[in-house]
Coordinates of all heavy atoms in Angstrom, one line a residue:
K1 N 1.8 -10.4 9.3 CA 1.3 -11.5 8.6 C 1.2 -11.1 7.1 O 0.5 -10.2 6.9 CB 0.0 -12.1 9.1 CG -0.6 -13.3 8.5 CD -1.8 -13.8 9.2 CE -2.2 -15.1 8.6 NZ -3.5 -15.6 9.2
P2 N 1.9 -11.8 6.2 CA 1.8 -11.6 4.9 C 0.5 -11.4 4.2 O -0.4 -12.5 4.6 CB 2.7 -12.6 4.0 CG 3.5 -13.1 5.2 CD 2.7 -13.0 6.5
R3 N 0.2 -10.7 3.2 CA -1.1 -10.5 2.5 C -0.8 -10.6 1.2 O -0.5 -9.7 0.5 CB -1.8 -9.3 3.0 CG -2.1 -9.1 4.4 CD -2.9 -7.7 4.7 NE -2.3 -6.6 4.1 CZ -1.5 -5.8 4.8 NH1 -1.5 -5.9 6.2 NH2 -1.0 -4.7 4.4
H4 N -0.8 -11.8 0.6 CA -0.4 -12.0 -0.8 C -1.5 -11.9 -1.8 O -2.5 -12.5 -1.6 CB 0.4 -13.3 -1.0 CG 1.6 -13.5 -0.1 ND1 2.7 -12.8 -0.4 CD2 1.8 -14.2 1.1 CE1 3.6 -13.1 0.6 NE2 3.0 -13.8 1.4
D5 N -1.3 -11.3 -2.9 CA -2.1 -11.2 -4.1 C -3.7 -10.9 -3.6 O -4.5 -11.5 -3.9 CB -2.1 -12.6 -4.6 CG -1.0 -12.6 -5.9 OD1 -0.4 -11.5 -5.9 OD2 -0.9 -13.6 -6.5
R6 N -3.7 -9.9 -2.8 CA -5.2 -9.4 -2.5 C -5.7 -8.7 -3.7 O -5.2 -7.7 -4.1 CB -5.2 -8.7 -1.3 CG -4.7 -9.5 -0.1 CD -4.6 -8.5 1.3 NE -6.1 -8.2 1.5 CZ -6.2 -7.5 2.6 NH1 -5.3 -6.8 3.3 NH2 -7.6 -7.1 2.9
L7 N -6.9 -9.0 -4.0 CA -7.7 -8.3 -5.0 C -8.4 -7.2 -4.3 O -9.1 -7.4 -3.3 CB -8.7 -9.3 -5.8 CG -9.5 -8.7 -6.9 CD1 -8.5 -8.3 -8.0 CD2 -10.5 -9.6 -7.5
C8 N -8.2 -5.9 -4.8 CA -8.8 -4.7 -4.1 C -10.1 -4.6 -4.8 O -10.2 -4.0 -5.9 CB -7.8 -3.5 -4.4 SG -8.5 -2.1 -3.6
D9 N -11.3 -5.1 -4.3 CA -12.5 -5.0 -4.9 C -13.1 -3.6 -4.5 O -14.0 -3.0 -5.2 CB -13.5 -6.1 -4.3 CG -13.1 -7.4 -4.9 OD1 -12.8 -7.5 -6.0 OD2 -13.2 -8.5 -4.1
A10 N -12.7 -3.0 -3.4 CA -13.1 -1.7 -3.1 C -12.5 -0.7 -3.8 O -11.4 -0.8 -4.3 CB -12.9 -1.5 -1.5
R11 N -13.1 0.5 -3.9 CA -12.4 1.7 -4.7 C -11.5 2.3 -3.7 O -10.5 3.1 -4.2 CB -13.6 2.7 -4.9 CG -14.7 2.1 -5.8 CD -14.4 1.5 -7.1 NE -13.8 2.4 -8.0 CZ -13.1 2.1 -9.1 NH1 -12.7 0.9 -9.3 NH2 -12.6 3.0 -9.7
L12 N -11.6 2.2 -2.4 CA -10.7 3.0 -1.4 C -10.2 1.9 -0.5 O -10.8 1.1 -0.1 CB -11.4 4.0 -0.7 CG -12.0 5.1 -1.5 CD1 -13.0 5.9 -0.6 CD2 -11.0 5.9 -2.2
I13 N -8.9 2.1 -0.1 CA -8.3 1.5 1.2 C -8.3 2.6 2.2 O -7.6 3.6 2.0 CB -7.0 0.8 0.9 CG1 -7.1 -0.3 -0.3 CG2 -6.2 0.3 2.1 CD1 -5.8 -0.7 -0.8
A14 N -9.0 2.3 3.2 CA -9.2 3.4 4.3 C -7.9 4.0 4.8 O -6.8 3.5 4.8 CB -9.9 2.9 5.5
V15 N -8.0 5.2 5.3 CA -7.0 5.9 6.0 C -6.4 5.0 7.1 O -7.1 4.5 7.9 CB -7.5 7.3 6.6 CG1 -6.3 8.0 7.4 CG2 -8.1 8.3 5.5
H16 N -5.1 5.0 7.0 CA -4.4 4.2 8.1 C -2.9 4.7 8.2 O -2.5 5.4 7.3 CB -4.5 2.6 7.7 CG -3.7 2.3 6.4 ND1 -4.1 2.6 5.1 CD2 -2.5 1.8 6.3 CE1 -3.4 2.1 4.3 NE2 -2.2 1.8 4.9
A17 N -2.3 4.2 9.3 CA -0.9 4.4 9.5 C -0.2 3.2 9.9 O -0.8 2.2 10.3 CB -0.8 5.5 10.7
H18 N 1.2 3.2 9.7 CA 2.0 2.1 10.1 C 2.8 2.5 11.3 O 3.9 2.8 11.2 CB 2.9 1.5 9.0 CG 2.1 1.2 7.7 ND1 1.8 -0.1 7.5 CD2 1.5 1.8 6.7 CE1 1.1 -0.3 6.3 NE2 0.9 0.9 5.9
D19 N 2.1 2.6 12.5 CA 2.7 3.3 13.6 C 4.0 2.5 14.0 O 5.0 3.3 14.3 CB 1.8 3.3 14.7 CG 0.6 4.2 14.4 OD1 0.9 5.2 13.8 OD2 -0.5 3.9 14.8
S20 N 4.0 1.3 14.2 CA 5.2 0.6 14.8 C 5.7 -0.5 13.8 O 6.5 -1.3 14.2 CB 4.7 -0.2 16.3 OG 3.9 -1.1 16.0
R21 N 5.3 -0.4 12.6 CA 5.9 -1.4 11.7 C 5.9 -0.8 10.3 O 5.3 0.3 10.0 CB 4.8 -2.6 11.5 CG 3.5 -2.2 11.1 CD 2.4 -3.3 10.9 NE 1.2 -3.0 10.8 CZ 0.5 -2.4 9.8 NH1 1.2 -2.1 8.7 NH2 -0.7 -2.0 9.8
R22 N 6.7 -1.3 9.5 CA 6.9 -1.1 8.1 C 6.3 -2.0 7.2 O 5.9 -3.1 7.7 CB 8.5 -0.8 7.8 CG 9.1 0.2 8.6 CD 10.5 0.3 8.5 NE 11.3 1.3 9.0 CZ 11.6 1.6 10.1 NH1 11.2 0.7 11.1 NH2 12.3 2.7 10.5
A23 N 6.2 -1.6 5.9 CA 5.5 -2.6 5.0 C 6.3 -2.4 3.6 O 6.8 -1.4 3.3 CB 4.1 -2.5 4.8
I24 N 6.4 -3.5 2.9 CA 6.8 -3.5 1.5 C 5.6 -3.9 0.6 O 5.0 -5.0 0.9 CB 7.9 -4.5 1.2 CG1 9.2 -3.9 2.0 CG2 8.3 -4.4 -0.3 CD1 10.3 -4.9 2.0
V25 N 5.2 -3.2 -0.4 CA 4.2 -3.4 -1.2 C 4.6 -3.5 -2.6 O 5.4 -2.8 -3.2 CB 3.1 -2.3 -1.1 CG1 1.8 -2.5 -1.9 CG2 2.7 -2.0 0.3
Y26 N 4.1 -4.6 -3.3 CA 4.4 -4.8 -4.7 C 3.0 -4.8 -5.5 O 2.0 -5.5 -5.2 CB 5.0 -6.2 -5.0 CG 5.2 -6.4 -6.5 CD1 6.2 -5.8 -7.1 CD2 4.5 -7.4 -7.1 CE1 6.4 -5.9 -8.4 CE2 4.7 -7.7 -8.4 CZ 5.7 -6.9 -9.1 OH 5.9 -7.2 -10.5
I27 N 2.9 -3.9 -6.5 CA 1.6 -3.9 -7.4 C 1.8 -4.9 -8.4 O 2.5 -4.9 -9.4 CB 1.4 -2.4 -8.0 CG1 1.3 -1.5 -6.9 CG2 0.1 -2.5 -8.7 CD1 0.5 -1.5 -5.8
V28 N 0.9 -6.0 -8.3 CA 0.9 -7.1 -9.2 C 0.1 -6.7 -10.5 O 0.6 -7.1 -11.7 CB 0.3 -8.4 -8.5 CG1 0.2 -9.5 -9.5 CG2 1.0 -8.7 -7.3
E29 N -1.0 -6.0 -10.3 CA -1.9 -5.8 -11.4 C -2.6 -4.5 -11.1 O -3.1 -4.2 -9.9 CB -2.9 -6.9 -11.7 CG -4.0 -6.6 -12.7 CD -4.9 -7.8 -12.8 OE1 -4.7 -8.8 -12.0 OE2 -6.0 -7.6 -13.4
G30 N -2.8 -3.5 -12.1 CA -3.6 -2.4 -12.0 C -2.8 -1.3 -11.5 O -1.6 -1.2 -11.7
E31 N -3.5 -0.2 -11.0 CA -2.9 1.0 -10.6 C -3.7 1.6 -9.4 O -4.9 1.5 -9.4 CB -3.0 2.0 -11.8 CG -2.5 3.4 -11.5 CD -2.5 4.2 -12.9 OE1 -1.8 3.8 -13.7 OE2 -3.3 5.1 -12.9
L32 N -2.9 2.1 -8.4 CA -3.6 2.8 -7.3 C -2.9 4.2 -7.1 O -1.9 4.5 -7.5 CB -3.1 2.1 -5.9 CG -3.7 0.7 -5.7 CD1 -3.0 0.0 -4.6 CD2 -5.2 0.9 -5.5
V33 N -3.8 5.1 -6.5 CA -3.2 6.4 -6.3 C -3.1 6.4 -4.7 O -4.0 6.2 -4.0 CB -4.3 7.5 -6.6 CG1 -3.8 8.9 -6.3 CG2 -4.5 7.4 -8.2
Q34 N -2.0 6.8 -4.2 CA -1.5 6.9 -2.8 C -1.6 8.4 -2.4 O -0.8 9.2 -3.0 CB -0.2 6.2 -2.5 CG 0.0 6.3 -1.1 CD 1.4 5.7 -0.8 OE1 1.9 4.9 -1.5 NE2 1.9 6.0 0.5
H35 N -2.5 8.6 -1.4 CA -2.6 9.9 -0.8 C -2.0 9.9 0.6 O -2.2 8.9 1.3 CB -4.1 10.4 -0.8 CG -4.8 10.3 -2.1 ND1 -4.9 11.4 -2.8 CD2 -5.5 9.4 -2.7 CE1 -5.6 11.1 -3.9 NE2 -6.1 9.8 -3.8
G36 N -1.3 10.9 1.0 CA -0.6 10.9 2.2 C -0.9 12.2 3.1 O -1.4 13.3 2.5
S37 N -0.6 12.2 4.5 CA -0.7 13.3 5.3 C 0.6 14.2 5.2 O 0.6 15.2 6.0 CB -0.8 12.7 6.6 OG 0.3 12.0 7.1
D38 N 1.5 13.8 4.4 CA 2.9 14.6 4.4 C 2.8 15.8 3.5 O 3.8 16.4 3.3 CB 3.9 13.7 4.0 CG 3.7 13.0 2.7 OD1 2.7 13.3 1.9 OD2 4.6 12.2 2.4
G39 N 1.6 16.0 2.9 CA 1.5 17.2 2.1 C 2.0 17.1 0.6 O 1.8 18.0 -0.3
E40 N 2.6 16.0 0.4 CA 3.1 15.8 -1.0 C 1.9 15.4 -2.1 O 0.9 15.2 -1.7 CB 4.0 14.5 -1.0 CG 5.2 14.7 -0.1 CD 6.3 15.7 -0.8 OE1 6.3 15.7 -2.0 OE2 6.9 16.5 0.0
R41 N 2.2 15.5 -3.3 CA 1.2 15.4 -4.3 C 0.9 13.8 -4.4 O 1.7 13.0 -3.9 CB 1.8 15.7 -5.7 CG 1.8 17.2 -5.9 CD 2.4 17.5 -7.2 NE 2.2 16.7 -8.2 CZ 2.6 16.6 -9.4 NH1 3.5 17.7 -9.8 NH2 2.3 15.9 -10.3
P42 N -0.2 13.4 -4.6 CA -0.6 11.9 -4.7 C 0.5 11.3 -5.6 O 0.9 11.8 -6.5 CB -1.9 12.0 -5.2 CG -2.6 13.2 -5.0 CD -1.4 14.2 -5.1
L43 N 0.7 9.9 -5.2 CA 1.7 9.1 -5.9 C 0.9 8.1 -6.7 O 0.0 7.5 -6.3 CB 2.7 8.4 -5.0 CG 3.6 9.4 -4.2 CD1 4.4 8.6 -3.1 CD2 4.5 10.1 -5.0
I44 N 1.4 7.9 -8.0 CA 0.7 6.8 -8.8 C 1.6 5.5 -8.6 O 2.7 5.6 -8.9 CB 0.6 7.1 -10.2 CG1 -0.1 8.5 -10.4 CG2 -0.1 6.1 -11.0 CD1 -1.5 8.6 -9.9
R45 N 0.8 4.5 -8.0 CA 1.6 3.1 -7.8 C 1.0 2.1 -9.0 O -0.1 1.9 -9.1 CB 1.2 2.6 -6.6 CG 1.6 3.4 -5.3 CD 3.1 3.7 -5.3 NE 3.4 4.5 -4.1 CZ 4.7 4.9 -3.8 NH1 5.7 4.6 -4.5 NH2 4.9 5.4 -2.6
R46 N 1.9 1.9 -9.9 CA 1.5 1.1 -11.1 C 1.9 -0.4 -11.1 O 2.9 -0.6 -10.3 CB 2.0 1.7 -12.3 CG 1.5 3.1 -12.6 CD 2.1 3.6 -14.0 NE 1.3 4.9 -14.4 CZ 1.6 6.0 -13.9 NH1 2.8 6.4 -13.2 NH2 1.0 7.1 -14.3
Q47 N 1.4 -1.2 -11.8 CA 1.8 -2.6 -12.0 C 3.3 -2.7 -12.2 O 3.9 -1.9 -13.0 CB 1.2 -3.3 -13.2 CG 1.5 -4.7 -13.4 CD 0.7 -5.4 -14.6 OE1 -0.3 -4.8 -15.0 NE2 1.3 -6.4 -15.2
G48 N 3.9 -3.5 -11.3 CA 5.4 -3.8 -11.3 C 6.1 -2.8 -10.3 O 7.3 -3.0 -10.1
D49 N 5.5 -1.8 -9.7 CA 6.0 -1.0 -8.8 C 6.2 -1.7 -7.4 O 5.4 -2.5 -7.0 CB 5.2 0.3 -8.5 CG 5.3 1.3 -9.6 OD1 6.2 1.0 -10.6 OD2 4.5 2.3 -9.5
A50 N 7.2 -1.5 -6.7 CA 7.5 -1.9 -5.3 C 7.9 -0.8 -4.7 O 8.6 0.1 -5.0 CB 8.4 -3.1 -5.3
Y51 N 7.2 -0.6 -3.4 CA 7.6 0.5 -2.6 C 7.5 0.2 -1.1 O 6.9 -0.8 -0.7 CB 6.7 1.7 -3.0 CG 5.2 1.6 -2.6 CD1 4.6 2.0 -1.5 CD2 4.5 0.9 -3.6 CE1 3.2 1.8 -1.3 CE2 3.1 0.8 -3.4 CZ 2.4 1.3 -2.2 OH 1.1 1.0 -2.0
F52 N 8.2 1.1 -0.3 CA 8.3 0.9 1.2 C 7.3 1.9 1.8 O 7.2 3.0 1.4 CB 9.7 1.3 1.5 CG 10.0 1.4 3.0 CD1 10.2 0.1 3.6 CD2 10.2 2.5 3.6 CE1 10.6 0.2 5.0 CE2 10.4 2.5 5.0 CZ 10.7 1.4 5.7
E53 N 6.5 1.4 2.9 CA 5.7 2.2 3.7 C 6.4 2.3 5.0 O 6.5 1.3 5.7 CB 4.3 1.7 3.8 CG 3.5 1.7 2.4 CD 2.3 1.2 2.5 OE1 1.9 0.4 3.5 OE2 1.3 1.5 1.7
G54 N 6.9 3.5 5.4 CA 7.4 3.6 6.7 C 6.5 4.0 7.8 O 5.3 4.3 7.6
P55 N 6.9 3.9 9.0 CA 6.0 4.3 10.1 C 5.9 5.9 10.3 O 6.7 6.6 9.8 CB 6.9 3.9 11.3 CG 8.4 4.0 10.9 CD 8.3 3.8 9.5
G56 N 4.7 6.2 10.8 CA 4.4 7.6 11.2 C 3.6 8.3 10.0 O 3.3 9.5 10.3
V57 N 3.5 7.8 8.9 CA 3.0 8.5 7.7 C 1.5 7.9 7.6 O 1.2 6.8 7.6 CB 3.6 8.2 6.5 CG1 2.7 8.9 5.3 CG2 5.1 8.9 6.5
V58 N 0.5 8.9 7.7 CA -0.9 8.4 7.6 C -1.3 8.6 6.1 O -0.9 9.6 5.5 CB -1.8 9.3 8.3 CG1 -3.4 9.0 8.1 CG2 -1.5 9.3 9.9
H59 N -1.8 7.5 5.6 CA -2.0 7.5 4.2 C -3.4 6.7 3.7 O -3.9 6.0 4.7 CB -0.9 7.1 3.3 CG -0.5 5.7 3.6 ND1 0.4 5.3 4.5 CD2 -0.8 4.5 2.9 CE1 0.4 4.1 4.6 NE2 -0.1 3.6 3.5
W60 N -3.8 6.9 2.6 CA -4.9 6.1 2.0 C -4.8 5.8 0.5 O -3.9 6.6 -0.1 CB -6.3 6.7 2.3 CG -6.5 8.1 1.8 CD1 -6.1 9.2 2.4 CD2 -7.2 8.4 0.7 NE1 -6.6 10.3 1.7 CE2 -7.2 9.9 0.5 CE3 -8.0 7.7 -0.3 CZ2 -7.9 10.6 -0.4 CZ3 -8.5 8.4 -1.2 CH2 -8.5 9.9 -1.4
L61 N -5.3 4.7 -0.1 CA -5.1 4.5 -1.4 C -6.5 4.4 -2.2 O -7.4 4.0 -1.5 CB -4.5 3.1 -1.5 CG -3.0 3.1 -0.8 CD1 -2.9 1.6 -0.3 CD2 -2.0 3.4 -1.7
E62 N -6.5 4.7 -3.5 CA -7.6 4.8 -4.3 C -7.5 4.2 -5.5 O -6.4 4.3 -6.2 CB -8.0 6.3 -4.3 CG -9.0 6.7 -5.4 CD -9.1 8.0 -5.7 OE1 -8.2 8.8 -5.6 OE2 -10.1 8.5 -6.3
N63 N -8.3 3.3 -6.0 CA -8.4 2.8 -7.3 C -9.2 3.8 -8.1 O -10.4 3.7 -8.0 CB -9.0 1.3 -7.3 CG -9.0 0.7 -8.6 OD1 -8.7 1.4 -9.6 ND2 -9.3 -0.6 -8.8
A64 N -8.5 4.5 -9.0 CA -9.3 5.6 -9.6 C -9.8 5.2 -11.0 O -10.3 5.9 -11.9 CB -8.4 6.8 -9.9
S65 N -9.6 3.8 -11.3 CA -10.0 3.3 -12.6 C -11.0 2.2 -12.5 O -11.4 1.9 -11.3 CB -8.7 2.6 -13.3 OG -8.5 1.3 -12.7
S66 N -11.6 1.7 -13.5 CA -12.6 0.6 -13.4 C -11.9 -0.8 -13.5 O -12.6 -1.7 -13.1 CB -13.5 0.7 -14.5 OG -12.9 0.6 -15.8
A67 N -10.5 -0.8 -13.7 CA -9.9 -2.1 -13.7 C -9.5 -2.7 -12.2 O -9.4 -1.8 -11.3 CB -8.5 -2.0 -14.5
P68 N -9.5 -3.9 -11.9 CA -9.2 -4.4 -10.7 C -7.7 -4.2 -10.3 O -6.9 -3.9 -11.3 CB -9.4 -6.0 -10.9 CG -9.2 -6.2 -12.2 CD -9.8 -4.9 -12.9
V69 N -7.4 -4.1 -9.1 CA -5.9 -4.0 -8.5 C -5.7 -5.2 -7.7 O -6.5 -5.6 -6.9 CB -5.9 -2.7 -7.7 CG1 -4.5 -2.7 -7.1 CG2 -6.2 -1.5 -8.5
R70 N -4.4 -5.8 -7.9 CA -3.9 -6.9 -7.0 C -2.6 -6.3 -6.6 O -1.8 -5.8 -7.3 CB -3.8 -8.1 -7.8 CG -4.9 -9.0 -7.8 CD -4.6 -10.4 -8.3 NE -3.9 -10.4 -9.5 CZ -3.0 -11.5 -9.7 NH1 -3.0 -12.5 -9.0 NH2 -2.3 -11.4 -10.8
A71 N -2.4 -6.4 -5.2 CA -1.1 -6.0 -4.7 C -0.7 -7.1 -3.6 O -1.5 -7.8 -3.0 CB -1.2 -4.8 -4.0
S72 N 0.7 -7.3 -3.4 CA 1.1 -8.1 -2.4 C 1.8 -7.2 -1.4 O 2.6 -6.3 -1.7 CB 2.3 -9.0 -2.9 OG 2.6 -9.8 -2.0
S73 N 1.4 -7.3 0.0 CA 2.0 -6.4 1.0 C 2.5 -7.4 2.1 O 1.8 -8.3 2.6 CB 0.8 -5.6 1.5 OG 1.2 -4.7 2.6
V74 N 3.7 -6.9 2.6 CA 4.3 -7.7 3.7 C 4.8 -6.6 4.7 O 5.4 -5.8 4.4 CB 5.6 -8.4 3.2 CG1 6.3 -9.2 4.4 CG2 5.3 -9.4 2.1
D75 N 4.2 -7.1 5.9 CA 4.4 -6.2 7.1 C 5.7 -6.6 7.7 O 6.0 -7.7 7.7 CB 3.5 -6.2 8.2 CG 2.1 -5.7 7.8 OD1 2.2 -4.7 6.9 OD2 1.1 -5.9 8.4
I76 N 6.6 -5.7 8.0 CA 7.9 -5.9 8.6 C 8.0 -5.5 10.1 O 7.7 -4.4 10.6 CB 9.0 -5.1 8.0 CG1 9.1 -5.4 6.5 CG2 10.4 -5.4 8.6 CD1 9.9 -4.5 5.7
L77 N 7.8 -6.7 10.9 CA 7.7 -6.4 12.3 C 8.9 -6.6 13.1 O 9.9 -7.3 12.7 CB 6.7 -7.5 12.9 CG 5.4 -7.6 12.4 CD1 4.6 -8.8 12.8 CD2 4.6 -6.3 12.5
P78 N 9.1 -5.8 14.2 CA 10.3 -5.9 14.9 C 10.5 -7.2 15.6 O 9.5 -7.8 15.9 CB 10.2 -4.8 16.0 CG 8.8 -4.5 16.1 CD 8.3 -4.8 14.8
I79 N 11.7 -7.7 15.7 CA 12.1 -8.9 16.4 C 11.9 -8.7 17.9 O 12.5 -7.9 18.5 CB 13.4 -9.5 16.0 CG1 13.5 -9.9 14.5 CG2 13.8 -10.8 16.8 CD1 14.8 -10.2 14.1
A80 N 11.2 -9.6 18.6 CA 11.0 -9.4 20.1 C 12.3 -9.8 20.8 O 13.1 -10.6 20.4 CB 9.9 -10.3 20.5
A81 N 12.5 -9.0 21.8 CA 13.8 -9.3 22.6 C 13.7 -10.6 23.3 O 12.5 -10.9 23.7 CB 14.0 -8.2 23.5
E82 N 14.6 -11.4 23.4 CA 14.6 -12.7 24.2 C 14.9 -12.4 25.5 O 15.7 -11.7 25.9 CB 15.5 -13.7 23.3 CG 15.0 -14.0 22.0 CD 15.8 -15.0 21.3 OE1 16.7 -15.8 22.1 OE2 15.7 -15.1 20.1

């Protein structure tokens, strides 16, 4: 189900994974730091960035500034077999 223009009032978006689904995220306003379980350095996601979240990666997001963050996230679900 699409989650459009959600304002991130919290400082953190909890640890989670996209086990059986993918997502596309667009940062409408602000900046988030994305931390992951893959051992890579944290990624900065800025206003205007769009990125793909694939299955199997555990990650969490942090608003490291005092400014609000708005993002649009759409989950991509597999089509059920008929």
Side-chain angles (χ1 to χ4, degrees):
K1 184 173 183 180
R3 300 180 306 256
H4 297 289
D5 273 0
R6 291 178 72 185
L7 184 62
C8 181
D9 292 325
R11 307 298 301 155
L12 299 173
I13 297 173
V15 173
H16 65 281
H18 301 265
D19 295 325
S20 61
R21 61 180 165 69
R22 293 172 167 84
I24 297 174
V25 180
Y26 176 74
I27 306 299
V28 177
E29 174 185 350
E31 182 175 293
L32 289 170
V33 181
Q34 180 178 341
H35 303 271
S37 63
D38 56 8
E40 296 289 324
R41 290 177 31 188
L43 299 170
I44 307 298
R45 305 296 190 179
R46 294 183 172 90
Q47 180 176 335
D49 286 352
Y51 63 96
F52 175 79
E53 293 182 336
V57 175
V58 178
H59 63 275
W60 58 281
L61 299 148
E62 169 188 20
N63 180 353
S65 74
S66 60
V69 174
R70 274 190 318 152
S72 183
S73 176
V74 178
D75 290 341
I76 303 168
L77 303 173
I79 297 174
E82 293 185 18

